[in-house]
Amino acid sequence: MLSTEQRDQFRRDGYLVVPGFKTMDEIARLRQRAGEIVNEFDPGQGRSIFTTRDQTTATDEYFLRSDNTIRCFFEEEAFGPDGQLRQEKALSINKIGHALHDLDPVFEAFSRDAKLAAVARDLGLADPKVWQSMYIFKQPGIGGEVRWHQDATFFETTPISVTTFWFALEDATIENGCLWVEPGGHRGPLRERFVRNGDDIRMETLDTMPWPDDSTAVALEAKAGSLVCFHGLLPHYSAPNRSPVSRHAYTLHATDGATAYSPQNWIQRDASLPVRGFE
């Protein structure tokens, strides 16, 4: 599926952008289904916001119980001082997560196809296991910042194998909060580990190496339909969206079944909902 040059770039830089991976029809079906899920969502079921400012403090029971189901999360700036939504619900949701790919037929069809399985193999995942899916809205005006982090923080394996598959569902630009990465940064250490034991969670600092800054970070602008793949150790970030247009994206996190998945990772699976691959 990938050329030798693309595989070499992924190994060198820790990321790869594949334009035109998904069709506009496929994207339209996914966006329509996401809209239906939000429309059906009753805010009374959970007013949990998603933020990366202090995830240990901000993580609540509603979030922890979203590991193997489908739940909606609000933008950090969605509510005013009076506790009411500043704008309509459809423009206030930060994301839907975290088992869309297993529990919703439309999302499953988007997430599982032979092309994606081939890309995963080309990137070194001998036995892909997809643990998490998220539909990210990056709402106009209030789309939240996602601080610098590494996805291996949340999906630790020995050796590290988590790979992210990020689909641009709308054009991602600097103005509406595209991804920023540090080319080659995946060769650095794992800085943090998000540990779960039952309902007890904590963020462990493993290495104090500084996060990237403007001197090394590059913007990954991507057209709708593009697939962005990146290594689990690659530092990445996205700025707040203060523009008048949204930046919808869909992301999957997969590890290699040939590696040892930590029993302290926040998402676990058993026989009632076994973890599966891309096919």
Side-chain angles (χ1 to χ4, degrees):
M1 183 66 198
L2 299 179
S3 68
T4 300
E5 290 76 17
Q6 287 174 313
R7 294 195 296 270
D8 288 345
Q9 182 196 338
F10 184 82
R11 285 192 290 268
R12 180 185 70 245
D13 296 334
Y15 68 90
L16 175 69
V17 181
V18 185
F21 191 84
K22 289 290 188 178
T23 68
M24 293 302 104
D25 285 345
E26 290 175 302
I27 288 172
R29 286 193 290 272
L30 203 72
R31 293 189 62 178
Q32 179 180 345
R33 181 59 188 137
E36 292 169 353
I37 292 172
V38 170
N39 186 56
E40 296 163 3
F41 169 60
D42 177 4
Q45 298 172 353
R47 293 167 64 92
S48 181
I49 65 169
F50 178 76
T51 177
T52 61
R53 294 178 188 274
D54 185 350
Q55 284 179 276
T56 302
T57 301
T59 299
D60 55 16
E61 183 179 7
Y62 182 82
F63 181 90
L64 288 177
R65 298 295 178 268
S66 72
D67 51 356
N68 294 320
T69 187
I70 298 173
R71 289 187 173 178
C72 295
F73 298 86
F74 287 101
E75 291 281 6
E76 191 172 1
E77 299 177 17
F79 297 97
D82 60 357
Q84 300 301 308
L85 288 174
R86 296 178 186 269
Q87 52 195 22
E88 61 179 293
K89 180 179 63 173
L91 293 175
S92 302
I93 300 297
N94 170 285
K95 71 173 181 178
I96 311 170
H98 290 91
L100 290 155
H101 62 292
D102 278 327
L103 300 178
D104 184 273
V106 176
F107 278 88
E108 182 172 25
F110 189 96
S111 305
R112 293 193 160 95
D113 66 57
K115 281 202 314 177
L116 193 52
V119 169
R121 287 192 296 269
D122 286 348
L123 295 180
L125 297 178
D127 180 21
K129 301 295 183 185
V130 185
W131 294 93
Q132 175 176 274
S133 50
M134 297 185 294
Y135 189 103
I136 304 167
F137 292 87
K138 204 75 166 179
Q139 300 285 7
I142 64 169
E145 174 187 38
V146 178
R147 71 173 182 89
W148 282 103
H149 67 285
Q150 299 161 296
D151 287 345
T153 290
F154 305 95
F155 298 94
E156 185 186 27
T157 61
T158 306
I160 289 173
S161 65
V162 65
T163 304
T164 301
F165 300 84
W166 189 98
F167 302 88
L169 306 179
E170 296 180 295
D171 291 351
T173 67
I174 291 175
E175 289 73 25
N176 68 3
C178 69
L179 292 171
W180 290 75
V181 300
E182 181 188 31
H186 63 301
R187 291 191 289 273
L190 180 62
R191 293 164 170 84
E192 298 174 314
R193 187 167 70 126
F194 189 72
V195 176
R196 178 179 183 180
N197 291 295
D199 287 346
D200 176 52
I201 57 170
R202 67 185 186 278
M203 187 72 81
E204 292 183 347
T205 299
L206 303 178
D207 195 286
T208 57
M209 182 177 182
W211 293 106
D213 56 27
D214 292 345
S215 67
T216 58
V218 299
L220 286 191
E221 293 188 301
K223 290 290 187 181
S226 298
L227 167 63
V228 181
C229 307
F230 49 94
H231 190 283
L233 284 176
L234 184 75
H236 57 285
Y237 156 87
S238 66
N241 181 11
R242 301 306 182 197
S243 82
V245 296
S246 57
R247 191 225 65 188
H248 289 205
Y250 177 61
T251 185
L252 297 164
H253 293 98
T255 64
D256 192 337
T259 63
Y261 187 80
S262 173
Q264 293 184 309
N265 287 334
W266 86 279
I267 293 181
Q268 301 291 327
R269 291 291 186 88
D270 58 25
S272 65
L273 187 63
V275 63
R276 297 187 288 143
F278 288 110
E279 294 181 296

